[in-house]
Amino acid sequence: MEAKLWDSVKTLEALKPQFVSVTYGAGGSTREKTHAIVKKIRQETALEPAAHLTCVNATRAEIDEIAKAYWDSKIHHIVALRGDPPDMKGKYVPYPNGYQYAGDLVKGLKKIADFEISVAAYPETHPSATSAEDDLRHLKEKIDAGATRAITQFFFNADDYFRFLEKTQKLGIKIPVVPGILPISNFAQAVRFADMCGAKIPANFKNLFEGLDEKPEERNKVSIEIATDICRKLTDNGVNQLHFYTLNRSDLVQAICKNLNIQ
Ligand SMILES: Cc1cc2nc3c(=O)[nH]c(=O)nc-3n(C[C@H](O)[C@H](O)[C@H](O)COP(=O)(O)OP(=O)(O)OC[C@H]3O[C@@H](n4cnc5c(N)ncnc54)[C@H](O)[C@@H]3O)c2cc1C
């Protein structure tokens, strides 16, 4: 897995992204690994790394320590998140003496140092939000606390993104709301992810991936075509930044970028 990760990093490096971010395992389970990988990216590549950090399973003091260590290692960009319950089931309960929501984490990070902070946004509304309006209001709070970029949850219908973007603009949100693109490398896994985060999967996708479980080349082709199509709809309508969820499949991202004439 580690070798595959570094292959991915090298492939991404050639695409010259603005930054690469490294996720933080559910429940804070990859704390040390995330830290080590982000540091290695800083030290051994020309890429600009960003570290995801969640509020789960840690006190404020513990999270503040992690953040200070990032700052000292010259990791100055944090993707600040609330995170999910460690078992992904049940209601989210803040950790005792922990940061409650991502907005609180953004405030805490800004007290430690002048981090560049990205936060999450949900074109199809966060699954546990009390309403789409409340969810947008909470996004605005994260921005008012100091976030300068929002990265969206993945979606498969560009119109959902554009409707959401319009709402953010009406609310006075001026920072980039960068669309998150998930190339589907495994359909069953994408359905599971979408179920968890409330993203809709278009009905025709099931047919497109039908019978391709054992045919990786054909599956990749479908995946690349779908993601290229979404990206084209976005870039044809004024979007000039894309964020890819690579899941170590930088080969798919590379092919999509080639289709889009990026590089
Ligand atoms: C780009 C991106 C990257 C991600 N990376 C990771 C990762 O590395 N590791 C990981 O474990 N998870 C990751 N996630 C998943 C994320 O942790 C979950 O979606 C989580 O459920 C919400 O995180 P958040 O930062 O959006 O939370 P928040 O912004 O805190 O929102 C969570 C919910 O609480 C509500 N809310 C927010 N503030 C308040 C308030 N003050 N009062 C009442 N309600 C409030 C919101 O409306 C929303 O329903 C990522 C998601 C995205 C989109």
Side-chain angles (χ1 to χ4, degrees):
M1 286 301 283
E2 178 129 13
K4 196 166 174 203
L5 170 71
W6 284 102
D7 275 355
S8 278
V9 169
K10 287 288 160 199
T11 307
L12 294 175
E13 192 174 17
L15 294 168
K16 299 197 178 81
Q18 190 182 350
F19 68 92
V20 288
S21 69
V22 179
T23 52
Y24 197 70
S29 55
T30 65
R31 190 179 304 173
E32 279 76 27
K33 277 194 190 124
T34 301
H35 196 147
I37 291 164
V38 172
K39 244 175 109 176
K40 193 166 167 193
I41 291 175
R42 161 64 77 228
Q43 287 165 351
E44 296 183 15
T45 74
L47 291 162
E48 187 58 40
H52 291 215
L53 186 58
T54 74
C55 310
V56 176
N57 260 351
T59 63
R60 284 170 185 248
E62 285 166 341
I63 290 187
D64 290 358
E65 277 312 304
I66 296 172
K68 279 180 199 145
Y70 275 133
W71 186 264
D72 293 343
S73 312
K74 303 207 169 4
I75 313 297
H76 294 173
H77 181 178
I78 303 274
V79 182
L81 303 141
R82 185 200 70 177
D84 287 308
D87 57 359
M88 294 303 285
K89 286 183 201 130
K91 198 170 162 341
Y92 171 84
V93 181
Y95 197 72
N97 297 318
Y99 288 109
Q100 194 165 7
Y101 292 105
D104 304 317
L105 176 59
V106 176
K107 278 187 210 149
L109 290 171
K110 278 290 184 188
K111 277 189 200 150
I112 292 167
D114 192 17
F115 282 107
E116 175 179 352
I117 299 180
S118 299
V119 289
Y122 299 85
E124 297 178 78
T125 307
H126 184 265
S128 66
T130 35
S131 70
E133 288 69 30
D134 285 350
D135 206 27
L136 266 167
R137 206 161 38 77
H138 296 312
L139 171 61
K140 179 82 167 45
E141 284 164 7
K142 297 192 274 194
I143 296 160
D144 293 343
T148 50
R149 177 187 299 97
I151 302 170
T152 79
Q153 186 57 276
F154 65 83
F155 55 85
F156 297 108
N157 182 346
D159 290 337
D160 286 327
Y161 168 80
F162 285 117
R163 273 191 289 271
F164 179 71
L165 195 63
E166 208 181 313
K167 286 188 197 163
T168 63
Q169 285 160 353
K170 278 193 183 142
L171 208 65
I173 291 175
K174 295 196 172 69
I175 63 165
V177 178
V178 182
I181 308 296
L182 176 73
I184 300 177
S185 52
N186 173 328
F187 186 64
Q189 182 196 50
V191 170
R192 246 190 353 265
F193 285 173
D195 257 5
M196 283 190 286
C197 71
K200 292 189 293 292
I201 298 212
N204 64 326
F205 280 19
K206 190 168 187 294
N207 283 344
L208 292 175
F209 285 100
E210 191 82 62
L212 301 186
D213 285 352
E214 307 301 327
K215 297 178 183 166
E217 275 183 29
E218 284 177 51
R219 197 172 65 224
N220 288 350
K221 218 170 137 215
V222 173
S223 166
I224 292 161
E225 267 170 31
I226 289 175
T228 302
D229 186 49
I230 298 169
C231 292
R232 282 222 178 93
K233 282 190 184 126
L234 294 169
T235 54
D236 285 353
N237 287 284
V239 170
N240 60 9
Q241 295 185 53
L242 301 164
H243 182 88
F244 289 99
Y245 293 102
T246 53
L247 306 180
N248 271 359
R249 290 298 310 271
S250 52
D251 55 326
L252 298 178
V253 176
Q254 190 181 37
I256 297 159
C257 288
K258 192 163 181 235
N259 286 345
L260 297 169
N261 287 329
I262 297 171
Q263 286 289 294

